[in-house]
Amino acid sequence: MKFFIDTANLAQIKEAQALGVLDGVTTNPSLMAKEGIKGQENILNHYKTICEIVDGDVSAEVIATDYENMVKEGEILAALHPQIVVKVPITKDGIKAIKYFTNKGIRTNCTLVFSVGQALLAAKAGASYVSPFVGRLDDIASDGIELVAQIVEMYGFYGYDTEVLAASIRSTQHIIQCAQAGADVITSPLEPILGLLKHPLTDSGLEKFLADYKKVNG
Ligand code: E4P
């Protein structure tokens, strides 16, 4: 399973990259705004900087909601850097834009996916990634992990190449459940990823090893 970090924060991206297990980055307009990145030039430069930090794919989202402007924006984003994946919402115009990008060899991440039907359309349009939003479904008392499992199963029936990128990850447990559900990728803030390292028996075991070493070696 690939690990993407879901942030536009450069310090966190660098920290995740330094861990050696990072496969990419996802951003969205809210995450860019959270970092105070505004104005087209600054936004494009920020994407380029992220691409220079990480080795893998970097999702950059279009703001336009109509087909023509989605295509214009997506082409500008894709031309920025070979690692850019154009992130497009699952709407009627979005699906048309994804199909256009597929035909042009531009990779896409179909975002804001909340149902198997939406994921089916994304795959048929040739999206490189589909992003079911786990946490936001859990927020409305639905089951985000179940959706990930259903999409993985359905793609398996037909052999679609679209990778299932579980998004809106809120906890370490979400990451583990996505791995068990067969997600190809998770995108998560840094803390849930670091949470995978934690176990009290690791801490107490290490403490004992060091104490025993000191007893003999001083
Ligand atoms: C994914 O690509 C989305 O940008 C992100 O995971 C949304 O997460 P949120 O529901 O925590 O805002």
PDB file of all heavy atoms in Angstrom, residues 16-32:
ATOM      1  N   ALA A  16       7.776  13.756   6.588  1.00  0.00           N
ATOM      2  CA  ALA A  16       7.292  12.469   6.072  1.00  0.00           C
ATOM      3  C   ALA A  16       8.265  11.907   5.035  1.00  0.00           C
ATOM      4  O   ALA A  16       8.554  10.708   5.021  1.00  0.00           O
ATOM      5  CB  ALA A  16       5.906  12.635   5.468  1.00  0.00           C
ATOM      6  N   GLN A  17       8.793  12.780   4.179  1.00  0.00           N
ATOM      7  CA  GLN A  17       9.749  12.343   3.155  1.00  0.00           C
ATOM      8  C   GLN A  17      11.008  11.772   3.816  1.00  0.00           C
ATOM      9  O   GLN A  17      11.532  10.739   3.393  1.00  0.00           O
ATOM     10  CB  GLN A  17      10.104  13.524   2.235  1.00  0.00           C
ATOM     11  CG  GLN A  17      11.194  13.250   1.220  1.00  0.00           C
ATOM     12  CD  GLN A  17      10.795  12.246   0.139  1.00  0.00           C
ATOM     13  OE1 GLN A  17       9.618  12.029  -0.102  1.00  0.00           O
ATOM     14  NE2 GLN A  17      11.772  11.629  -0.495  1.00  0.00           N
ATOM     15  N   ALA A  18      11.436  12.405   4.912  1.00  0.00           N
ATOM     16  CA  ALA A  18      12.655  11.959   5.603  1.00  0.00           C
ATOM     17  C   ALA A  18      12.463  10.579   6.241  1.00  0.00           C
ATOM     18  O   ALA A  18      13.443   9.854   6.449  1.00  0.00           O
ATOM     19  CB  ALA A  18      13.054  12.980   6.663  1.00  0.00           C
ATOM     20  N   LEU A  19      11.218  10.201   6.537  1.00  0.00           N
ATOM     21  CA  LEU A  19      10.953   8.871   7.090  1.00  0.00           C
ATOM     22  C   LEU A  19      11.322   7.766   6.095  1.00  0.00           C
ATOM     23  O   LEU A  19      11.587   6.633   6.480  1.00  0.00           O
ATOM     24  CB  LEU A  19       9.461   8.722   7.400  1.00  0.00           C
ATOM     25  CG  LEU A  19       8.930   9.040   8.791  1.00  0.00           C
ATOM     26  CD1 LEU A  19       7.421   8.792   8.817  1.00  0.00           C
ATOM     27  CD2 LEU A  19       9.619   8.194   9.852  1.00  0.00           C
ATOM     28  N   GLY A  20      11.267   8.105   4.813  1.00  0.00           N
ATOM     29  CA  GLY A  20      11.656   7.133   3.785  1.00  0.00           C
ATOM     30  C   GLY A  20      10.508   6.255   3.306  1.00  0.00           C
ATOM     31  O   GLY A  20      10.732   5.326   2.528  1.00  0.00           O
ATOM     32  N   VAL A  21       9.293   6.522   3.782  1.00  0.00           N
ATOM     33  CA  VAL A  21       8.176   5.661   3.365  1.00  0.00           C
ATOM     34  C   VAL A  21       7.098   6.443   2.606  1.00  0.00           C
ATOM     35  O   VAL A  21       6.002   5.935   2.398  1.00  0.00           O
ATOM     36  CB  VAL A  21       7.523   4.945   4.579  1.00  0.00           C
ATOM     37  CG1 VAL A  21       8.505   3.999   5.247  1.00  0.00           C
ATOM     38  CG2 VAL A  21       6.959   5.943   5.584  1.00  0.00           C
ATOM     39  N   LEU A  22       7.432   7.657   2.187  1.00  0.00           N
ATOM     40  CA  LEU A  22       6.421   8.496   1.541  1.00  0.00           C
ATOM     41  C   LEU A  22       6.385   8.243   0.031  1.00  0.00           C
ATOM     42  O   LEU A  22       7.422   8.218  -0.615  1.00  0.00           O
ATOM     43  CB  LEU A  22       6.715   9.982   1.809  1.00  0.00           C
ATOM     44  CG  LEU A  22       5.606  10.941   1.388  1.00  0.00           C
ATOM     45  CD1 LEU A  22       4.367  10.759   2.263  1.00  0.00           C
ATOM     46  CD2 LEU A  22       6.068  12.390   1.463  1.00  0.00           C
ATOM     47  N   ASP A  23       5.164   8.062  -0.487  1.00  0.00           N
ATOM     48  CA  ASP A  23       5.006   7.795  -1.919  1.00  0.00           C
ATOM     49  C   ASP A  23       4.363   8.952  -2.670  1.00  0.00           C
ATOM     50  O   ASP A  23       4.238   8.882  -3.896  1.00  0.00           O
ATOM     51  CB  ASP A  23       4.145   6.539  -2.108  1.00  0.00           C
ATOM     52  CG  ASP A  23       4.781   5.310  -1.474  1.00  0.00           C
ATOM     53  OD1 ASP A  23       5.875   4.924  -1.903  1.00  0.00           O
ATOM     54  OD2 ASP A  23       4.197   4.756  -0.519  1.00  0.00           O
ATOM     55  N   GLY A  24       3.904   9.975  -1.950  1.00  0.00           N
ATOM     56  CA  GLY A  24       3.275  11.085  -2.653  1.00  0.00           C
ATOM     57  C   GLY A  24       2.560  12.033  -1.715  1.00  0.00           C
ATOM     58  O   GLY A  24       2.594  11.861  -0.487  1.00  0.00           O
ATOM     59  N   VAL A  25       1.904  13.029  -2.319  1.00  0.00           N
ATOM     60  CA  VAL A  25       1.223  14.084  -1.560  1.00  0.00           C
ATOM     61  C   VAL A  25      -0.133  14.352  -2.208  1.00  0.00           C
ATOM     62  O   VAL A  25      -0.247  14.316  -3.432  1.00  0.00           O
ATOM     63  CB  VAL A  25       2.054  15.394  -1.579  1.00  0.00           C
ATOM     64  CG1 VAL A  25       1.334  16.514  -0.844  1.00  0.00           C
ATOM     65  CG2 VAL A  25       3.438  15.178  -0.979  1.00  0.00           C
ATOM     66  N   THR A  26      -1.147  14.595  -1.368  1.00  0.00           N
ATOM     67  CA  THR A  26      -2.408  15.138  -1.894  1.00  0.00           C
ATOM     68  C   THR A  26      -2.643  16.483  -1.230  1.00  0.00           C
ATOM     69  O   THR A  26      -2.327  16.676  -0.058  1.00  0.00           O
ATOM     70  CB  THR A  26      -3.611  14.206  -1.622  1.00  0.00           C
ATOM     71  OG1 THR A  26      -3.659  13.894  -0.228  1.00  0.00           O
ATOM     72  CG2 THR A  26      -3.541  12.941  -2.440  1.00  0.00           C
ATOM     73  N   THR A  27      -3.202  17.395  -2.016  1.00  0.00           N
ATOM     74  CA  THR A  27      -3.590  18.699  -1.475  1.00  0.00           C
ATOM     75  C   THR A  27      -5.024  18.946  -1.925  1.00  0.00           C
ATOM     76  O   THR A  27      -5.562  18.201  -2.740  1.00  0.00           O
ATOM     77  CB  THR A  27      -2.702  19.827  -2.037  1.00  0.00           C
ATOM     78  OG1 THR A  27      -2.881  19.875  -3.455  1.00  0.00           O
ATOM     79  CG2 THR A  27      -1.237  19.607  -1.722  1.00  0.00           C
ATOM     80  N   ASN A  28      -5.633  19.943  -1.349  1.00  0.00           N
ATOM     81  CA  ASN A  28      -6.934  20.408  -1.850  1.00  0.00           C
ATOM     82  C   ASN A  28      -6.996  21.905  -1.558  1.00  0.00           C
ATOM     83  O   ASN A  28      -6.135  22.442  -0.841  1.00  0.00           O
ATOM     84  CB  ASN A  28      -8.089  19.599  -1.236  1.00  0.00           C
ATOM     85  CG  ASN A  28      -8.204  19.773   0.265  1.00  0.00           C
ATOM     86  OD1 ASN A  28      -7.997  20.860   0.795  1.00  0.00           O
ATOM     87  ND2 ASN A  28      -8.544  18.702   0.970  1.00  0.00           N
ATOM     88  N   PRO A  29      -7.990  22.613  -2.082  1.00  0.00           N
ATOM     89  CA  PRO A  29      -8.034  24.072  -1.878  1.00  0.00           C
ATOM     90  C   PRO A  29      -8.082  24.453  -0.399  1.00  0.00           C
ATOM     91  O   PRO A  29      -7.506  25.482  -0.003  1.00  0.00           O
ATOM     92  CB  PRO A  29      -9.313  24.484  -2.618  1.00  0.00           C
ATOM     93  CG  PRO A  29      -9.467  23.444  -3.690  1.00  0.00           C
ATOM     94  CD  PRO A  29      -9.010  22.163  -3.064  1.00  0.00           C
ATOM     95  N   SER A  30      -8.733  23.640   0.436  1.00  0.00           N
ATOM     96  CA  SER A  30      -8.794  23.949   1.872  1.00  0.00           C
ATOM     97  C   SER A  30      -7.407  23.832   2.511  1.00  0.00           C
ATOM     98  O   SER A  30      -7.016  24.663   3.337  1.00  0.00           O
ATOM     99  CB  SER A  30      -9.753  22.997   2.598  1.00  0.00           C
ATOM    100  OG  SER A  30     -11.019  23.020   2.004  1.00  0.00           O
ATOM    101  N   LEU A  31      -6.661  22.795   2.117  1.00  0.00           N
ATOM    102  CA  LEU A  31      -5.318  22.597   2.690  1.00  0.00           C
ATOM    103  C   LEU A  31      -4.362  23.707   2.244  1.00  0.00           C
ATOM    104  O   LEU A  31      -3.503  24.151   3.021  1.00  0.00           O
ATOM    105  CB  LEU A  31      -4.769  21.225   2.287  1.00  0.00           C
ATOM    106  CG  LEU A  31      -5.504  20.013   2.874  1.00  0.00           C
ATOM    107  CD1 LEU A  31      -5.010  18.707   2.244  1.00  0.00           C
ATOM    108  CD2 LEU A  31      -5.336  19.955   4.390  1.00  0.00           C
ATOM    109  N   MET A  32      -4.513  24.168   0.993  1.00  0.00           N
ATOM    110  CA  MET A  32      -3.668  25.272   0.508  1.00  0.00           C
ATOM    111  C   MET A  32      -4.009  26.542   1.277  1.00  0.00           C
ATOM    112  O   MET A  32      -3.120  27.281   1.713  1.00  0.00           O
ATOM    113  CB  MET A  32      -3.875  25.483  -0.999  1.00  0.00           C
ATOM    114  CG  MET A  32      -3.422  24.326  -1.857  1.00  0.00           C
ATOM    115  SD  MET A  32      -1.629  24.071  -1.899  1.00  0.00           S
ATOM    116  CE  MET A  32      -1.148  25.190  -3.204  1.00  0.00           C
TER     117      MET A  32
END
